């Protein structure tokens, strides 16, 4: 390999690291939310379902605006979009610290979602462009930052909420996370044309689909429907983990595993974030070798079984910790598998915009989250919610093999076929 090739190789891994760090800094905006729900309810007397509307607004704005943000990335590069996103993320949590009404909480959620989506869409899209030969692994490592990035702050956030109030946690973590994202953004850049590997082990399209062309293909909407099915259950677990543990009366029960003793909720939240991060590069790497759809069938099936088992055995503190870990491990990979599949099917040139359009499925799934609280109140337990979520996961698993796989065969060439070089920015 030439010296220039070595430099490019090192440079793209450095770009990947920058993206992962940015994703770690916005992770708490989604995965740390569950710790604030009960304190806000106790402080202001707001209804739990009303508070969770803020979570839905965050996810909707975080996802549905990504195609627009992705268009800016494809046209102007990743730096300016990430700077803008980091600023909005910091502002959002500072606003949360002062929110004394649901209206202000909702506005802050929308601002935070816009900022987090800008950072998320940029980093994932940029990884797809830098690694056409290892798209599953690169997307997985980047998404890992978002899935596991909050693991190290679970205990500090809970401690600050307990001793200084949830307002202080929102304020100081908001400032810190926003500043770090903006600093890292200064070093982000897109690859130049013709400088990257052009061979992958999985089937990839030779054609570069424009976003307007992609949304007119049936296969896009099959992928979209599967994404919604998978995202709904995981988002429910993410947003409702604290309330579920409280309703199961195990939140503060000590659990000892692997020589560590922590309250069940704290243990579960920490383990969940680690596994939710590890699964993304793991299954992304697996999919680079055995194919996207085969990997989907395996992981989606595990997710469905895990959710059902949680509904049956989750009242036991140890089972709660282990099964929520399994659920998050089998769920988080959707954020590597779907972007990678999108890039394989529709090309690299418009990767940020196209992946952003598919990512809006997460926002669609988020609309379901508030209704889980309503359904739980109506039925008196979480059992029905768990059954519905498990059923959607099993359905998506079979769709991967028997619907998506044969359809994608008509859109892509043989696995050995070279792909186009990354377009210049």
């Amino acid at each position: 390999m030439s010296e220039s090739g070595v430099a490019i190789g090192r440079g793209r891994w450095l770009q990947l690291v920058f993206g992962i760090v940015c994703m770690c800094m916005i992770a708490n905006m989604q995965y740390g939310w569950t710790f604030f729900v009960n304190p806000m309810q106790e402080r202001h007397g707001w209804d739990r379902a009303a508070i969770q509307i803020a979570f839905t607004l965050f996810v909707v704005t975080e996802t549905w605006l990504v195609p627009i943000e992705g268009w800016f990335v494809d046209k102007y590069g990743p730096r300016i979009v990430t700077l803008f996103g980091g600023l909005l993320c910091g502002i959002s949590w500072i606003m949360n610290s002062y929110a004394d009404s649901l209206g202000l909480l909702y506005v802050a959620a929308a601002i935070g979602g816009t900022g987090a989506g800008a950072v998320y869409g940029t980093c994932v899209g940029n990884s797809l462009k830098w690694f056409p030969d290892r798209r599953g692994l690169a997307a997985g490592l980047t998404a890992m930052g978002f899935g596991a990035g909050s693991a190290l702050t679970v205990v500090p956030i809970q401690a600050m909420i307990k001793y200084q109030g949830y307002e202080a946690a929102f304020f100081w973590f908001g400032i810190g996370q926003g500043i770090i994202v903006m600093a890292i953004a200064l070093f982000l850049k897109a690859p130049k044309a013709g400088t990257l590997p052009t061979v992958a082990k999985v089937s990839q399209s030779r054609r570069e689909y424009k976003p307007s062309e992609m949304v007119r293909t049936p296969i896009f909407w099959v992928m979209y429907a599967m994404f919604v099915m998978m995202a709904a259950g995981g988002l429910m677990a993410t947003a409702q983990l604290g309330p579920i543990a409280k309703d199961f009366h195990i939140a503060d029960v000590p659990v000892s595993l692997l020589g560590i003793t922590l309250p069940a909720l704290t243990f579960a939240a920490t383990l969940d974030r680690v596994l939710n991060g590890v699964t993304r590069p793991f299954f992304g790497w697996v999919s680079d070798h055995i194919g996207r759809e085969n990997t989907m069938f395996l992981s989606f099936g595990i997710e469905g079984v895990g959710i059902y088992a949680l509904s049956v055995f989750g009242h036991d503190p140890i089972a709660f910790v282990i099964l929520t870990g399994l659920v998050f491990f089998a769920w988080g990979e959707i954020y590597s598998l779907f972007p990678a599949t999108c890039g394989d099917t529709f090309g690299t040139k418009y990767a940020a915009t196209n992946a952003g359009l598919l990512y809006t499925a997460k926002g669609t799934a988020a609309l379901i989250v508030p209704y889980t609280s309503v359904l739980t109140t109506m039925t008196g337990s979480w059992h029905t919610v768990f059954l519905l979520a498990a059923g959607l996961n099993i359905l998506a698993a079979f769709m991967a093999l028997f619907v998506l796989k044969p359809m994608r065969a008509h859109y892509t060439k043989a696995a050995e076929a070279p792909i186009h070089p990354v377009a210049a920015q």
Side-chain angles (χ1 to χ4, degrees):
M1 181 182 295
S2 66
E3 291 185 7
S4 61
V6 172
I8 291 170
R10 292 174 179 172
R12 68 174 185 161
W13 285 104
L14 189 58
Q15 287 295 310
L16 188 65
V17 170
F18 289 153
I20 292 171
V21 173
C22 287
M23 295 284 266
C24 287
M25 291 302 104
I26 65 169
N28 276 323
M29 301 192 72
Q30 175 172 313
Y31 294 101
W33 173 259
T34 191
F35 302 122
F36 294 91
V37 175
N38 290 334
M40 283 191 288
Q41 183 182 30
E42 294 168 2
R43 177 68 57 87
H44 299 286
W46 297 331
D47 181 71
R48 184 186 292 174
I51 294 174
Q52 293 294 24
I53 289 176
F55 180 83
T56 298
L57 286 172
F58 166 80
V59 178
V60 166
T61 51
E62 185 226 353
T63 54
W64 287 359
L65 295 178
V66 169
I68 299 173
E69 295 152 351
W71 179 86
F72 278 98
V73 174
D74 288 335
K75 189 171 182 63
Y76 299 108
R79 186 172 302 156
I80 185 65
V81 180
T82 308
L83 275 168
F84 174 73
L87 177 63
L88 292 187
C89 287
I91 290 173
S92 170
W93 268 34
I94 292 173
M95 289 180 64
N96 282 341
S97 71
Y98 289 101
D100 55 3
S101 68
L102 287 170
L104 186 56
L105 190 70
Y106 296 161
V107 171
I111 292 174
T114 303
V119 177
Y120 191 107
T122 300
C123 295
V124 171
N126 214 35
S127 73
L128 296 177
K129 294 184 178 186
W130 277 105
F131 289 87
D133 55 325
R134 300 180 181 182
R135 193 167 278 144
L137 176 63
L141 286 169
T142 304
M144 178 186 69
F146 192 70
S150 62
L152 294 177
T153 56
V154 168
V155 174
I157 283 182
Q158 287 187 317
M160 186 170 284
I161 290 174
K162 181 177 180 179
Y163 296 109
Q164 299 183 40
Y166 79 85
E167 297 93 342
F170 269 137
F171 184 85
W172 292 111
F173 276 90
I175 289 178
Q177 292 162 180
I179 289 176
I180 293 174
V181 170
M182 295 178 70
I184 294 294
L186 299 175
F187 300 96
L188 291 174
K189 61 180 180 180
K192 295 181 180 180
T195 60
L196 299 174
T198 58
V199 176
K201 295 181 180 179
V202 297
S203 179
Q204 296 182 338
S205 174
R206 289 186 174 187
R207 179 180 172 185
E208 302 287 359
Y209 284 77
K210 295 179 180 179
S212 58
E213 295 174 322
M214 181 186 71
V215 297
R216 292 199 296 269
T217 64
I219 192 172
F220 170 77
W221 294 106
V222 169
M223 292 167 62
Y224 195 94
M226 291 172 59
F227 202 146
V228 171
M229 293 176 191
M230 288 301 303
L235 288 175
M236 179 273 293
T238 299
Q240 306 282 32
L241 186 64
I244 289 171
K246 182 180 179 180
D247 290 347
F248 282 3
H249 307 293
I250 60 170
D252 298 319
V253 177
V255 171
S256 296
L257 287 172
L258 303 175
I260 302 173
T261 301
L262 289 170
L265 177 58
T266 303
F267 208 142
T270 304
L271 182 63
D272 295 349
R273 280 147 183 76
V274 172
L275 293 177
N276 190 30
V278 170
T279 184
R280 302 179 187 208
F282 172 74
F283 278 114
W285 173 81
V286 170
S287 74
D288 283 338
H289 291 79
I290 71 170
R292 313 295 184 208
E293 297 89 352
N294 294 336
T295 308
M296 288 179 178
F297 177 76
L298 174 65
S299 57
F300 295 179
I302 294 173
E303 170 78 353
V305 172
I307 291 178
Y308 176 76
L310 184 62
S311 71
V312 177
F313 305 108
H315 289 82
D316 177 81
I318 295 178
F320 178 83
V321 171
I322 294 173
L323 290 173
T324 55
L326 178 65
V327 166
F328 275 86
F329 179 74
W331 175 67
E333 88 293 327
I334 64 175
Y335 300 109
S336 58
L337 296 183
F338 281 110
T341 306
C342 183
D344 292 342
T345 308
F346 301 111
T348 304
K349 185 176 181 180
Y350 305 99
T353 308
N354 288 342
L357 283 166
L358 181 59
Y359 187 61
T360 62
K362 178 183 174 183
T364 303
L367 296 175
I368 302 172
V369 173
Y371 294 102
T372 61
S373 294
V374 175
L375 185 58
T376 300
T377 301
M378 292 174 58
T379 60
S381 75
W382 290 94
H383 188 66
T384 302
V385 173
F386 283 131
L387 287 180
L388 289 173
L392 289 174
N393 281 264
I394 297 298
L395 177 60
F398 282 98
M399 285 182 66
L401 279 188
F402 300 108
V403 181
L404 180 62
K405 190 172 184 177
M407 287 186 72
R408 228 167 59 85
H410 295 287
Y411 284 82
T412 58
K413 301 297 182 181
E416 311 83 43
I419 64 173
H420 285 305
V422 178
Q425 296 298 319

